[in-house]
Amino acid sequence: MFLKMAIDPLCLCVVTGCIPEWLKGTLVRIGPGMFTVGDTAYNHWFDGMALMHSFAFRGGDVMYRSRYLRGDTYTANMEANRIVVSEMGTMAYPDPSKNIFSKAITFLSHTIPDFTDNCGNNIIRYGEDYYATSETNYIRKIDPETLETQDKVDYQKYLAVNLVTSHPHYDKEGNSYNIGTKIAEKGKTKYTIFKVPPIRKCGRTNLEVLCSVPCRSLLTPSYYHSFGMTDNYIIFIEQPLKLDILKMATAYMRHTNWASCLKYNPEDDTLIHLIDRKTQKPVETRYYTDAMVVYHHVNAFEEDGHIVFDIIAYDDNSLYDLFYLNSLRQEINESGSSKKSIPIPKYKRFVLPLQIDKASVGEDLVKLKYTTATAVKEKEKLLLCQPEILCEGLDLPRINYNFNGKKQKYVYLTCSEKPPVPTKVTKFDTETKKMVHWEEQGCWPSEPVFVANPNATEEDDGVVLATVISMDSQKSDFLLVLEAKTFTEIARASVNAQLHMDMHGYFIFQDRVQV
């Protein structure tokens, strides 16, 4: 479950059912895996030491491997036999026996923090390389075949950013796109959108800054976890969940954690920035909506002079608090649901009209017939956007990435009747609003990953992969393989090891993996 310990096994899975012949490659997933070091313990589930899992598909067989991400944070903690590197929800204080000089150095390192490289949030690709990432300025290169930890990469050596999202986008030319925040540089805080080309030059990766968006407040930048992208535009949501930099600088002295410096301001609006990828500038029209908290974008596309984008939104940020380990131990029952009442995720569809000059004040400019989303002109160049709520109770969305930035029909998500633990994997039809579920008694599935059949002619021709934890001690944890069209189980690969609840994953086809 959430708090299992782990070793580094390598084992051949027991496969029941039939794995498609075309499914050749490796699914790599990552998430928190170690929650105590010596006599010290992490406070928050997200803080746990990163553990990678891989499932390699070869000729109908599935080989499972797991390994801790062995970065500087891991090494320092293991050598000290205690937690010595702070995470977002856990401050690491020096051993009481340390001298005053050591304590002073620790204090300074938290006032202007050098963040952790415990990159346990996602697996991403830059060019032909794969990296474990969280949301700091550090990422760690990994070998997706062996799960060995390789080079440490500091974004700040390439561009001025303190925080970078762990959900980049990719185009068909192999370029990767991402967004980072630079805090109080030359009196300005800004969000920087950048591109990473697929080929290194002279052994160096050359990042290209596409655009910078000013933050609406110097010392309280917005938190964000993902963004949207179409062929011609990038959608960035500046939400009223903000990081207070001054409080962050004094958090260590005040004996509180950095997460406490995140504050949700429900009285503020949510700004929607639309960046033109061709001009590399924000469009002149300003879009905004009511306060909300967004972690995951689903997809975005262009249609008849509109930008349509889908997100998963919450009414506040109380979901984060639920993942404090004391809360998890006390509040989660055997069904995986919380005893507390927390916000239910809402699947929201927004529509941004591109042409507004001839419109009248008070006019709804959304002309698409299949959605109830609105965008009302309030004054020149200012639109109030209200979403259509397509469904509720779903999160961790994935699509057929061949349709990223284009109009798509199907989304694959986890379903929690009462968060935080998913109990179902769901296929959602955005046109008919119908859902199909996979569930099994006593099973907790992870984020579903869609893998397209290389010869597919239809959007849902492929499989959906999800790791599943069994709460029945007599049954093994397993990797679930669903046929995406019918959303029925066609195979499972049982693991002779304990899986963990994890975060996100990436499927790498065999021609991309060294074999």
Side-chain angles (χ1 to χ4, degrees):
M1 52 186 298
F2 278 94
L3 308 181
K4 291 177 180 176
M5 293 299 290
I7 54 175
D8 293 351
L10 174 63
C11 63
L12 183 66
C13 299
V14 177
V15 175
T16 56
C18 184
I19 294 175
E21 292 184 3
W22 58 263
L23 187 60
K24 299 176 181 177
T26 302
L27 173 67
V28 183
R29 298 193 58 81
I30 196 167
M34 184 189 301
F35 302 94
T36 60
V37 183
D39 295 329
T40 58
Y42 288 108
N43 297 327
H44 200 278
W45 183 69
F46 292 170
D47 296 342
M49 301 283 284
L51 178 66
M52 297 176 285
H53 306 269
S54 71
F55 295 85
F57 296 84
R58 303 286 188 274
D61 291 331
V62 181
M63 183 68 72
Y64 169 75
R65 183 193 302 267
S66 70
R67 180 167 287 178
Y68 284 108
L69 184 73
R70 288 169 165 81
D72 293 348
T73 296
Y74 178 93
T75 300
N77 287 349
M78 293 301 104
E79 288 180 350
N81 194 33
R82 68 191 316 270
I83 297 170
V84 296
V85 180
S86 294
E87 303 289 342
M88 195 67 181
T90 306
M91 276 297 187
Y93 290 93
D95 190 310
S97 63
K98 294 290 184 181
N99 60 41
I100 189 68
F101 178 76
S102 296
K103 292 179 180 179
I105 293 296
T106 303
F107 172 77
L108 291 173
S109 71
H110 284 81
T111 304
I112 306 174
D114 184 20
F115 289 116
T116 177
D117 69 342
N118 180 33
C119 304
N121 195 284
N122 201 6
I123 303 296
I124 64 174
R125 172 172 57 86
Y126 284 138
E128 295 301 315
D129 297 328
Y130 296 89
Y131 298 86
T133 179
S134 56
E135 292 176 325
T136 73
N137 55 296
Y138 293 120
I139 55 178
R140 294 295 311 214
K141 185 179 176 183
I142 65 163
D143 183 326
E145 184 69 12
T146 65
L147 299 185
E148 293 177 354
T149 305
Q150 300 179 337
D151 300 340
K152 179 180 180 179
V153 176
D154 184 353
Y155 280 114
Q156 294 192 14
K157 292 183 178 180
Y158 302 92
L159 74 165
V161 287
N162 302 97
L163 308 167
V164 179
T165 176
S166 56
H167 288 280
H169 282 284
Y170 312 98
D171 64 22
K172 293 184 177 178
E173 287 71 42
N175 297 296
S176 304
Y177 300 81
N178 215 333
I179 298 181
T181 301
K182 179 58 181 177
I183 300 170
E185 181 192 31
K186 298 179 180 179
K188 296 180 180 180
T189 296
K190 58 187 179 181
Y191 311 105
T192 299
I193 301 164
F194 60 94
K195 179 174 75 172
V196 182
I199 300 175
R200 295 184 179 186
K201 295 181 179 179
C202 302
R204 179 181 175 86
T205 299
N206 297 314
L207 305 190
E208 177 185 349
V209 174
L210 299 183
C211 180
S212 290
V213 177
C215 174
R216 57 175 152 179
S217 54
L218 175 65
L219 295 176
T220 55
S222 169
Y223 171 80
Y224 54 94
H225 185 68
S226 61
F227 62 101
M229 188 173 80
T230 70
D231 288 344
N232 297 297
Y233 295 92
I234 287 173
I235 303 100
F236 169 61
I237 295 177
E238 189 175 9
Q239 59 189 340
L241 178 57
K242 302 175 182 179
L243 182 62
D244 189 315
I245 301 305
L246 292 181
K247 287 185 177 179
M248 191 171 180
T250 60
Y252 181 85
M253 179 177 60
R254 293 184 291 111
H255 284 261
T256 188
N257 58 34
W258 288 323
S260 69
C261 305
L262 273 170
K263 182 180 179 182
Y264 177 60
N265 301 281
E267 69 280 2
D268 289 350
D269 297 322
T270 299
L271 304 183
I272 305 171
H273 298 283
L274 189 61
I275 296 94
D276 189 318
R277 291 176 61 187
K278 293 180 180 178
T279 65
Q280 299 187 1
K281 296 179 180 180
V283 301
E284 292 184 357
T285 304
R286 291 175 294 154
Y287 306 91
Y288 79 99
T289 189
D290 298 331
M292 61 181 179
V293 173
V294 178
Y295 299 109
H296 297 116
H297 281 248
V298 181
N299 193 22
F301 58 90
E302 304 168 28
E303 185 171 7
D304 296 335
H306 303 76
I307 303 297
V308 182
F309 71 92
D310 295 353
I311 58 170
I312 307 297
Y314 291 81
D315 292 338
D316 60 38
N317 66 321
S318 58
L319 181 66
Y320 182 90
D321 292 338
L322 186 60
F323 281 88
Y324 279 101
L325 294 178
N326 283 340
S327 178
L328 285 175
R329 292 185 183 101
Q330 296 170 9
E331 298 294 337
I332 304 301
N333 58 36
E334 291 183 358
S335 67
S337 62
S338 172
K339 301 173 187 176
K340 290 183 178 179
S341 176
I342 68 169
I344 301 299
K346 297 180 177 67
Y347 187 125
K348 294 184 177 182
R349 169 162 287 180
F350 285 89
V351 180
L352 309 181
L354 295 173
Q355 303 298 327
I356 71 165
D357 292 338
K358 297 180 180 180
S360 302
V361 173
E363 181 182 351
D364 177 12
L365 302 186
V366 177
K367 306 305 179 185
L368 302 177
K369 302 299 183 183
Y370 57 79
T371 180
T372 60
T374 61
V376 175
K377 185 175 181 179
E378 291 199 328
K379 59 183 181 180
E380 191 66 22
K381 302 296 184 182
L382 180 66
L383 268 64
L384 170 60
C385 302
Q386 297 291 5
E388 176 184 5
I389 298 178
L390 300 188
C391 63
E392 297 184 359
L394 304 175
D395 204 343
L396 299 177
R398 298 293 290 262
I399 64 170
N400 180 342
Y401 202 79
N402 293 327
F403 286 77
N404 189 63
K406 305 182 185 304
K407 189 174 184 179
Q408 112 292 332
K409 184 177 182 181
Y410 302 110
V411 186
Y412 309 93
L413 314 96
T414 56
C415 176
S416 302
E417 294 180 349
K418 290 185 178 181
V421 180
T423 54
K424 302 176 184 178
V425 183
T426 301
K427 178 182 181 181
F428 177 60
D429 187 323
T430 61
E431 295 180 3
T432 67
K433 313 299 190 296
K434 292 182 178 179
M435 300 183 194
V436 184
H437 303 288
W438 176 94
E439 63 178 319
E440 188 171 298
Q441 182 68 31
C443 286
W444 294 359
S446 69
E447 166 203 59
V449 176
F450 177 88
V451 183
N453 186 331
N455 299 315
T457 57
E458 297 178 84
E459 180 187 336
D460 59 349
D461 185 356
V463 297
V464 173
L465 306 177
T467 55
V468 179
I469 293 174
S470 174
M471 300 307 295
D472 185 341
S473 60
Q474 302 302 311
K475 296 182 180 179
S476 299
D477 298 341
F478 58 94
L479 178 71
L480 175 68
V481 184
L482 299 173
E483 182 185 58
K485 275 183 175 293
T486 61
F487 218 62
T488 56
E489 179 177 336
I490 58 174
R492 66 175 60 184
S494 298
V495 179
N496 186 25
Q498 290 184 330
L499 298 181
H500 282 231
M501 294 296 294
D502 55 27
M503 297 278 204
H504 299 291
Y506 192 105
F507 186 84
I508 308 167
F509 274 98
Q510 185 170 319
D511 58 355
R512 284 186 171 270
V513 182
Q514 181 180 357
V515 290

